[in-house]
Amino acid sequence: MDKKTGESAAVSAVPLVPNVVGGSAQPGKAKRTLPLIQPATGETIGMVPMSTSDELSEMVQVAEAAQKNWGLTPLKDRVQVLFRLKTLLEDNTPALAEVINKENGKTLDEARASISRAIECVEYATSLPQLAAGPVLEVSRGVECKMLRFPLGVVAGITPFNFPLMVPLWMIPLAIGCGNAFILKPSEFTPLSALELAKLLKKAGLPDGLFSVIQGDKEVVEAICDHPKIKAVAFVGSTRVAKAVYTRATAAGKRVRALGGAKNHLIVVPDADPEMTATNIVASVTGCAGQRCMAASVLLAVGEVGHILDRVKNIMQNFVPGKDIGPVISKAAYDRITGYLERAGKSGAKLVLDGRTAKSQVAAKGLFLGPSIVDNVTPQHECAREEIFGPVLTVLHCKTLDEALTIENSSPYGNAACIYTGSGKVAQYFIEHSHAGMVGVNIGVPVPREPFAFGGWHDSRFGDGDITGASAIDFWSGVKKVTSKWSAEYKANWMS
Ligand code: NAD
């Protein structure tokens, strides 16, 4: 299908994207399929099966059988697979970046950066023997309490299109390291990186059945939420779906950690370094074509910062789609983003830069847009409130830092926020008063690196804890508290 025209293309010669069951790629049995369209060219490069609940149940059985031995394998042995996976990811970075570039549209540099971040998560998990060791204490004379971790069994992850390798690797290393079998449901827009990951995990020595991939959409996601043998579900995607998955899977008795969408605010005050601030803002808005949950979306310009805004525009207007910025993922995404621009123009906002008119270097059928700047909007404007998820910067003007913080605080989301300032006092005030799980000072994409865990607040996350880091180790393991007394000579006392 042509992503811009929606016209059908001949798809008979196009390969069916497989599932992965029991360590090998297998064609799904689903009757329903969706075309897999390369965002940069508009070409149909595969057909993605929309797997059924029956296929999921078969996969769970295989995973359950494999998990029994894996759960009994000592942690120190389990993490050896992760050490090998790290090396394999490093050695295969160029090939993996090509796959990500093909299915998602990210530039090769962006794809490589996402793999580096994924490797960091694997590295963190290789330290599980040190990180997961529990405390032991003599609580009464001769009586000892200790904490032990056990695997949950079969667990699942449901992931978005925008980081097809990195987001699954936020989950898989800790989940598998903790002794579980993991079923991944990748985005139907980006099903290929998961297959590469399955090959690398097998090569790293992970026994068959412990990592499965099920392709599909809402139907199989709901089956995952309902399946009684899946004990925990991690989700990353839009707020609407995060909330639905959280509600459905918790109602089925599972533990769930569901990360949602975002609307991230950047506050710029007059003492900010003009060059560094402008370069940083542009990178945050345009990186991955704005399709990042950490991307800058609303710029809150406090006082006289026009000289910085001019620099932002000057850099952005020279962006060449296809060279400096990749395509967006789908025709629906293209229409959503351009719809915001269209309505902003009609609503009286000022389209300082209109990405629809940027001259592209590449095929007309690709889904390319240049960066846009929408200025002079009110805090209630849809461009100031809703997640656009494209390379669009919305600018609001404020008289004071408190006014900017009131706008930031009123967002239903709470993923990221940052400030550009030369003053430690202003930065500290912002850190204390902003409402987001991840905040930055002079950093446009304040992703906490491991061991500082990734996770937002409010409508950007449902369920406690973060998706990486120490709380994720707890999420993927069952903790038992053991109280023992072996010394008969000590007198029985409290609760003996
Ligand atoms: P999405 O919510 O459309 O899809 C995510 C997953 O849910 C996919 O696997 C998809 O197949 C499935 N899904 C889609 N609709 C469903 C439905 N109705 N019922 C059940 N399952 C459904 O998200 P996306 O478009 O793939 O990704 C972009 C979104 O993800 C943005 O909102 C972005 O902010 C968010 N995101 C958040 C984070 C974070 O860490 N907070 C990270 C990356 C992306």
Side-chain angles (χ1 to χ4, degrees):
M1 189 178 335
D2 182 316
K3 287 199 178 172
K4 273 192 180 160
T5 64
E7 286 162 15
S8 290
V11 291
S12 53
V14 163
L16 185 70
V17 176
N19 289 326
V20 176
V21 195
S24 58
Q26 294 190 11
K29 297 172 200 151
K31 293 201 174 66
R32 207 162 53 86
T33 56
L34 287 178
L36 173 61
I37 298 167
Q38 187 172 351
T41 63
E43 246 181 289
T44 300
I45 54 171
M47 295 305 288
V48 189
M50 298 298 112
S51 306
T52 61
S53 56
D54 287 347
E55 289 177 285
L56 176 73
S57 289
E58 285 168 24
M59 201 175 267
V60 171
Q61 273 184 17
V62 174
E64 199 186 13
Q67 192 274 332
K68 288 205 165 65
N69 261 338
W70 185 243
L72 297 174
T73 304
L75 178 53
K76 275 197 173 268
D77 294 341
R78 292 198 299 250
V79 297
Q80 298 312 313
V81 169
L82 301 174
F83 279 107
R84 291 191 289 269
L85 178 65
K86 171 182 151 34
T87 307
L88 286 165
L89 286 166
E90 285 163 352
D91 293 349
N92 288 278
T93 291
L96 291 167
E98 296 276 353
V99 175
I100 295 170
N101 166 267
K102 185 175 182 179
E103 67 173 349
N104 170 280
K106 248 182 239 306
T107 66
L108 287 170
D109 279 350
E110 290 166 350
R112 280 189 287 266
S114 75
I115 299 166
S116 297
R117 167 74 182 129
I119 290 171
E120 194 174 80
C121 295
V122 179
E123 271 171 12
Y124 179 75
T126 59
S127 299
L128 266 171
Q130 290 74 41
L131 297 168
V136 183
L137 187 71
E138 187 185 49
V139 289
S140 294
R141 194 77 185 103
V143 179
E144 174 193 276
C145 271
K146 66 182 171 189
M147 195 196 91
L148 297 176
R149 287 177 193 277
F150 291 87
L152 299 175
V154 180
V155 299
I158 301 159
T159 52
F161 77 84
N162 66 331
F163 285 96
L165 190 89
M166 182 187 84
V167 170
L169 283 170
W170 285 353
M171 307 168 182
I172 295 162
L174 289 179
I176 283 182
C178 287
N180 303 292
F182 192 94
I183 297 179
L184 174 64
K185 205 304 281 174
S187 165
E188 60 274 42
F189 291 96
T190 53
L192 304 179
S193 298
L195 304 176
E196 299 307 313
L197 195 49
K199 287 182 207 157
L200 295 187
L201 279 161
K202 192 177 171 85
K203 229 175 175 175
L206 186 72
D208 291 346
L210 291 169
F211 178 68
S212 317
V213 179
I214 190 147
Q215 310 289 359
D217 61 0
K218 181 179 179 188
E219 182 183 345
V220 77
V221 169
E222 291 184 344
I224 289 171
C225 294
D226 296 344
H227 200 293
K229 292 215 162 140
I230 297 179
K231 300 298 177 198
V233 174
F235 173 91
V236 177
S238 62
T239 288
R240 181 181 58 83
V241 184
K243 210 171 189 169
V245 164
Y246 183 78
T247 306
R248 190 165 181 139
T250 50
K254 298 184 199 325
R255 28 176 101 165
V256 185
R257 198 160 277 182
L259 268 55
K263 188 76 182 168
N264 303 318
H265 297 76
L266 299 179
I267 298 180
V268 179
V269 301
D271 73 354
D273 178 276
E275 190 54 45
M276 184 266 283
T277 302
T279 318
N280 238 266
I281 291 172
V282 173
S284 179
V285 176
T286 59
C288 304
Q291 302 172 116
R292 282 192 289 198
C293 66
M294 296 296 280
S297 182
V298 176
L299 191 157
L300 298 165
V302 181
E304 290 303 318
V305 296
H307 59 297
I308 297 176
L309 298 181
D310 289 345
R311 277 176 199 248
V312 169
K313 182 187 168 195
N314 286 342
I315 306 171
M316 280 189 178
Q317 70 190 1
N318 290 319
F319 265 58
V320 178
K323 177 171 152 279
D324 307 309
I325 184 167
V328 296
I329 189 72
S330 64
K331 168 83 167 78
Y334 185 93
D335 289 347
R336 185 191 63 242
I337 299 161
T338 54
Y340 277 104
L341 297 175
E342 177 84 30
R343 292 190 297 280
K346 287 183 184 153
S347 72
K350 197 165 151 198
L351 263 175
V352 174
L353 189 63
D354 186 344
R356 291 171 298 178
T357 60
K359 285 218 172 58
S360 175
Q361 235 196 17
V362 278
K365 285 187 177 173
L367 295 162
F368 291 95
L369 273 170
S372 298
I373 302 175
V374 183
D375 204 337
N376 278 355
V377 303
T378 63
Q380 290 72 38
H381 194 282
E382 62 173 9
C383 288
R385 304 284 304 168
E386 296 170 15
E387 183 176 40
I388 300 174
F389 219 55
V392 179
L393 180 66
T394 302
V395 181
L396 275 77
H397 297 267
C398 310
K399 289 198 174 64
T400 63
L401 179 56
D402 279 331
E403 189 187 338
L405 282 164
T406 302
I407 296 170
E408 189 273 338
N409 287 184
S410 74
S411 172
Y413 297 103
N415 218 38
C418 78
I419 191 159
Y420 287 94
T421 181
S423 155
K425 191 173 161 192
V426 169
Q428 190 59 29
Y429 189 81
F430 161 80
I431 291 167
E432 285 172 13
H433 293 87
S434 51
H435 280 200
M438 296 171 279
V439 299
V441 176
N442 298 323
I443 295 274
V445 184
V447 173
R449 308 282 301 270
E450 296 312 306
F452 301 94
F454 191 99
W457 285 4
H458 309 312
D459 281 1
S460 296
R461 184 197 59 185
F462 300 89
D464 287 344
D466 296 310
I467 201 83
T468 65
S471 72
I473 301 174
D474 288 340
F475 181 75
W476 296 118
S477 44
V479 168
K480 274 185 197 167
K481 281 72 66 180
V482 182
T483 308
S484 343
K485 179 181 164 200
W486 289 104
S487 312
E489 68 271 23
Y490 296 126
K491 278 194 189 138
N493 56 17
W494 185 61
M495 289 202 303
S496 63

